[in-house]
Amino acid sequence: AQKITQTQPGMFVQEKEAVTLDCTYDTSDQSYGLFWYKQPSSGEMIFLIYQGSYDEQNATEGRYSLNFQKARKSANLVISASQLGDSAMYFCARGGSQGNLIFGKGTKLSVKP
Amino acid sequence: NAGVTQTPKFQVLKTGQSMTLQCAQDMNHNSMYWYRQDPGMGLRLIYYSASEGTTDKGEVPNGYNVSRLNKREFSLRLESAAPSQTSVYFCASTQRPPLHFGNGTRLTVT
């Protein structure tokens, strides 16, 4: 199975600092998409950011940026200026062949005041 | 604009009971999906429907059936619930990336 690997089960970051959440993926496809979702303690899945495999520039959405290294098959999420509200589970995902998403197991981020 | 609506939000079943989880989207999306989320496992695809009238198995389909009732609605049925089906179930839809998720159904089977 083509996997998504998130090696950090849990991370701590000080408020206002930047944090990088790691994600590596398997694929033999030439064209694919990479996604990050946030799941707060309330449980909903919130889409954060998308990167296409042919996009030349790294994706950015406000305080979120995706550090995409195609040759290394990595798609790390960078959150700048962390806020207390950023405490949540974060899931990396890759687009599947049926329009579905294949998810990693997630990283629990805790922001300390 | 409600997006993806799942009902119920919570459910407790006894082993062997049946139930149907409902999902409806108002975004005119062609594709709909059912995922389950277990602690430490991420989200795993149960079934999907690429378009009205079609359904296909995902990664973990055993013990489930689905119906794509129309373009809006995609239901998930547990015919004989088992404790291993205790999970949080998410419905999602898309026309093109990303997937839009409902708020989930927390199911406990005792």
Side-chain angles (χ1 to χ4, degrees):
Chain A
Q2 299 191 340
K3 294 195 311 181
I4 308 298
T5 302
Q6 295 181 251
T7 56
Q8 307 148 313
M11 290 275 290
F12 287 91
V13 65
Q14 203 69 38
E15 193 178 8
K16 300 181 185 175
E17 292 186 348
V19 62
T20 298
L21 306 184
D22 294 340
C23 174
T24 58
Y25 58 91
D26 288 337
T27 187
S28 54
D29 296 336
Q30 294 301 309
S31 178
Y32 51 90
L34 296 158
F35 304 79
W36 278 91
Y37 281 80
K38 173 184 179 181
Q39 187 179 43
S41 58
S42 50
E44 69 270 31
M45 295 291 288
I46 301 168
F47 165 69
L48 294 178
I49 195 167
Y50 165 79
Q51 176 85 42
S53 60
Y54 284 114
D55 293 341
E56 293 186 354
Q57 301 217 340
N58 287 342
T60 61
E61 289 287 347
R63 293 186 300 110
Y64 304 108
S65 60
L66 201 153
N67 184 358
F68 179 49
Q69 298 186 49
K70 192 170 182 177
R72 303 176 79 172
K73 293 186 177 176
S74 76
N76 299 339
L77 177 70
V78 180
I79 306 174
S80 63
S82 297
Q83 302 172 356
L84 296 177
D86 294 333
S87 293
M89 284 291 291
Y90 289 82
F91 291 97
C92 178
R94 180 180 66 76
S97 59
Q98 300 300 329
N100 59 306
L101 294 180
I102 302 164
F103 285 87
K105 295 183 178 181
T107 295
K108 184 174 182 180
L109 178 65
S110 300
V111 180
K112 298 187 289 185
Chain B
N1 192 346
V4 180
T5 302
Q6 291 183 235
T7 55
K9 288 183 169 45
F10 301 94
Q11 184 72 47
V12 179
L13 291 178
K14 294 189 190 308
T15 297
Q17 287 184 320
S18 62
M19 80 161 294
T20 300
L21 281 65
Q22 307 286 354
C23 175
Q25 51 93 8
D26 61 3
M27 297 173 283
N28 203 35
H29 288 166
N30 280 330
S31 302
M32 297 185 74
Y33 307 85
W34 277 106
Y35 284 86
R36 62 177 287 172
Q37 182 181 20
D38 302 296
M41 295 296 292
L43 278 76
R44 293 181 292 168
L45 183 65
I46 305 171
Y47 270 94
Y48 66 96
S49 170
S51 61
E52 185 178 356
T54 70
T55 61
D56 282 290
K57 295 177 180 179
E59 181 185 355
V60 289
N62 291 347
Y64 305 96
N65 286 300
V66 290
S67 296
R68 183 75 183 266
L69 304 169
N70 47 56
K71 191 170 186 179
R72 290 186 64 247
E73 298 172 286
F74 187 38
S75 62
L76 178 72
R77 182 159 179 84
L78 288 70
E79 290 290 353
S80 179
S84 62
Q85 294 178 306
T86 293
S87 190
V88 179
Y89 292 85
F90 286 98
C91 177
S93 71
T94 190
Q95 190 65 26
R96 56 180 179 274
L99 260 61
H100 301 263
F101 284 87
N103 286 336
T105 295
R106 185 174 294 274
L107 175 67
T108 302
V109 183
T110 61

